[in-house]
Amino acid sequence: MRPSTVLRSLALAVALASSACAGPSDSPVGAAEITAPQRIVTLGGPVTEAVFALGAGDRVVGVDLSSVYPESAAALPRVGYYRQFSAEGVLGLRPDLVIASDAAGPATALEQLRTAGVRLELLPAGEDLDAARGNITRIAAAIGRPDAAAAVLADLDAELAEVDRLRARATSRPRVLFVYARGPGRLLVAGRDTGGAELLRLAAADNAGEALTGMKPWSAEAVVAAAPDVVVLPTRGLESLGGVPGLLALPGLAETPAGRDQRVVAVDDLKLLGFGPRVGQGLHELVLALHPEARAGADP
């Protein structure tokens, strides 16, 4: 069977499933209940986390490869990485709603979903707290649970208030190199206008990569000249390098103050970098790791 024939068949199945989920127009239940999607596919770890946090995890039928939290999401069918997902894989799950970051792709796959009549909600990609709050609200509306956003946002704001208290106790101002790694051959430094730079600002630290704009590779000489006190990187990135010894074996890093003191902080990839519902928890942990003096009287 040719791909085009497969897509037409899947589109018909999706249309039939969507009609069945919508229910009769004269149903006595409220409009929100009639239109609430029952089969959701999420593309992007922060999107998936938000849907589960909003209490609709039982309606998620498929996720992308970056959706590793919560554990129940990680056990669902996968449709590829959100930047390179399979339209056929998504359509085969018969969703009546697909929620994705606007960084999702390829464009041809998104167009195939639209052509098949699947409702597609694209969220603006943003790496700051306003974006985190806005996307939680948008996702709540998309899944038919607008009222659920208030509790999730209240939890986030409570965690951020604790971060503010920790920052007020911090007396140090470490110079931090924020690194993204996926093995020794792919090492990028967070410069200006990046999520990493924003996280360091929120954690009361100076960005050692300030000379750069965006995520860029950096020479060993530039790393040494930046003289970071601490290196911060995602947990999975550190694992891909073979742990702290593997990281410090990379050119230049052992010659920095961070390398000599072995000051390396690994952060949960999604908790912190995803700017999702758990970003407050991630910032709490990062502030404590960068400012040991703030630990006095802090909650664990």
Side-chain angles (χ1 to χ4, degrees), residues 38-129:
Q38 299 302 308
R39 297 183 65 83
I40 304 170
V41 171
T42 54
L43 303 176
V47 176
T48 302
E49 284 197 33
V51 172
F52 275 78
L54 291 162
D58 59 334
R59 291 190 259 148
V60 178
V61 296
V63 299
D64 83 308
L65 290 172
S66 73
S67 299
V68 296
Y69 181 90
E71 288 186 11
S72 51
L76 290 168
R78 303 299 185 93
V79 297
Y81 183 52
Y82 76 97
R83 291 181 183 270
Q84 198 67 34
F85 73 92
S86 160
E88 291 85 353
V90 171
L91 290 171
L93 296 171
R94 299 179 294 107
D96 50 9
L97 173 64
V98 175
I99 312 178
S101 159
D102 65 5
T108 51
L110 294 171
E111 187 56 35
Q112 285 171 349
L113 296 185
R114 294 188 183 97
T115 300
V118 177
R119 179 183 164 203
L120 178 62
E121 294 284 345
L122 294 180
L123 305 173
E127 296 179 312
D128 57 43
L129 296 179

Side-chain angles (χ1 to χ4, degrees), residues 24-298:
S25 58
D26 59 350
S27 171
V29 298
E33 293 178 75
I34 295 173
T35 59
Q38 299 302 308
R39 297 183 65 83
I40 304 170
V41 171
T42 54
L43 303 176
V47 176
T48 302
E49 284 197 33
V51 172
F52 275 78
L54 291 162
D58 59 334
R59 291 190 259 148
V60 178
V61 296
V63 299
D64 83 308
L65 290 172
S66 73
S67 299
V68 296
Y69 181 90
E71 288 186 11
S72 51
L76 290 168
R78 303 299 185 93
V79 297
Y81 183 52
Y82 76 97
R83 291 181 183 270
Q84 198 67 34
F85 73 92
S86 160
E88 291 85 353
V90 171
L91 290 171
L93 296 171
R94 299 179 294 107
D96 50 9
L97 173 64
V98 175
I99 312 178
S101 159
D102 65 5
T108 51
L110 294 171
E111 187 56 35
Q112 285 171 349
L113 296 185
R114 294 188 183 97
T115 300
V118 177
R119 179 183 164 203
L120 178 62
E121 294 284 345
L122 294 180
L123 305 173
E127 296 179 312
D128 57 43
L129 296 179
D130 286 342
R133 292 187 179 96
N135 281 340
I136 288 169
T137 302
R138 291 183 186 94
I139 292 169
I143 63 177
R145 301 202 66 195
D147 296 343
V152 176
L153 291 173
D155 287 344
L156 173 58
D157 287 340
E159 197 68 61
L160 292 173
E162 177 60 21
V163 170
D164 287 342
R165 287 191 286 272
L166 291 175
R167 262 200 314 257
R169 286 201 290 265
T171 57
S172 59
R173 187 82 188 183
R175 186 170 173 79
V176 180
L177 191 71
F178 200 108
V179 171
Y180 179 89
R182 281 297 180 265
R186 188 180 184 192
L187 193 72
L188 302 175
V189 170
R192 298 185 302 277
D193 302 325
T194 62
E198 176 65 6
L199 292 169
L200 294 181
R201 184 188 70 80
L202 292 168
D206 291 329
N207 184 10
E210 183 69 14
L212 298 172
T213 299
M215 298 292 297
K216 302 283 177 57
W218 230 7
S219 68
E221 293 77 13
V223 170
V224 172
D229 303 306
V230 186
V231 176
V232 171
L233 74 168
T235 301
R236 283 188 288 170
L238 184 59
E239 291 171 353
S240 75
L241 295 170
V244 173
L247 172 67
L248 298 183
L250 296 176
L253 281 171
E255 301 169 51
T256 64
R260 288 192 291 270
D261 296 337
Q262 297 196 22
R263 286 203 67 190
V264 176
V265 175
V267 299
D268 181 285
D269 298 50
L270 276 179
K271 184 185 290 185
L272 194 57
L273 290 174
F275 284 94
R278 296 185 299 154
V279 66
Q281 298 175 32
L283 274 170
H284 186 158
E285 294 170 12
L286 182 61
V287 170
L288 287 176
L290 295 179
H291 305 281
E293 72 279 10
R295 289 181 177 276

